[in-house]
């Protein structure tokens, strides 16, 4: 490691107030003086739990995750899957590449993508979403 770069290899685990991460390797680049994260690259069986702006937890799995601190963007590749759970819904999203804007909470996809939403009717656990106008 150096004052502006940290490299970790083999069963990496990070616990932070905004994120929990496990991966095969992690490369962290810091601003001069080591005060801010410039970028973070996680490689190999990446699993993250992210606490979003709304305090919603998002679970991410992928082969590679690249975070850029200057714009608070997270790019996921290698069969990425994003799962967002709320008391009302479970949203699952996959694509060739997924980009999460952590500042706004928006998700965008590059290449082919798939998504699903499961809704939990009042008093029931999550199940298949009902069609528009459908009744539980």
């Amino acid at each position: 490691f150096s004052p502006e770069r940290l490299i970790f290899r083999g069963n990496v685990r990070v616990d932070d107030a905004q994120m929990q991460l496990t991966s095969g390797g992690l490369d962290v680049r810091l601003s001069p003086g080591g005060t801010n994260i410039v970028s973070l690259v996680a490689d190999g069986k990446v699993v993250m739990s992210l606490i979003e702006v709304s305090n919603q937890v998002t679970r991410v799995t992928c082969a590679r995750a690249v975070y850029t601190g200057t714009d608070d963007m997270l790019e996921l590749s290698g069969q990425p899957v994003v799962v967002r759970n709320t008391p009302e819904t479970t949203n699952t999203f996959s694509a060739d590449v997924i980009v999460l804007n952590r500042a706004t909470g928006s998700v965008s996809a590059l290449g082919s993508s798939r998504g699903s939403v499961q809704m939990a009717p009042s008093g029931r656990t999550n199940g298949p979403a009902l069609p528009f106008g459908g009744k539980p």
Side-chain angles (χ1 to χ4, degrees):
F1 70 91
S2 71
E4 295 173 4
R5 187 171 184 197
L6 305 166
I7 300 173
F8 303 92
R9 297 288 179 245
N11 298 319
V12 176
R13 180 181 169 105
V14 176
D15 289 312
D16 180 75
Q18 295 180 327
M19 165 188 79
Q20 287 77 47
L21 172 135
T22 60
S23 67
L26 182 65
D27 186 337
V28 180
R29 294 188 184 254
L30 303 170
S31 62
T35 56
N36 294 312
I37 294 176
V38 172
S39 68
L40 181 146
V41 178
D43 275 312
K45 296 183 182 178
V46 178
V47 178
M48 288 189 280
S49 293
L50 305 167
I51 300 173
E52 301 294 338
V53 174
S54 63
N55 288 327
Q56 175 179 312
V57 176
T58 299
R59 181 173 166 84
V60 172
T61 58
C62 61
R64 181 178 175 92
V66 179
Y67 172 75
T68 308
T70 54
D71 56 8
D72 209 12
M73 301 289 279
L74 180 61
E75 182 176 301
L76 311 168
S77 58
Q79 299 180 323
V81 177
V82 175
V83 178
R84 287 184 168 168
N85 289 304
T86 70
E88 297 83 26
T89 63
T90 298
N91 301 306
T92 304
F93 187 71
S94 63
D96 293 335
V97 176
I98 297 174
V99 179
L100 297 171
N101 182 326
R102 302 251 312 132
T104 65
S106 67
V107 178
S108 57
L110 303 171
S112 62
S113 62
R114 290 177 39 147
S116 67
V117 176
Q118 291 183 327
M119 299 181 71
S122 180
R124 291 182 22 191
T125 59
N126 282 357
L130 298 172
F132 291 108
K135 302 222 185 253

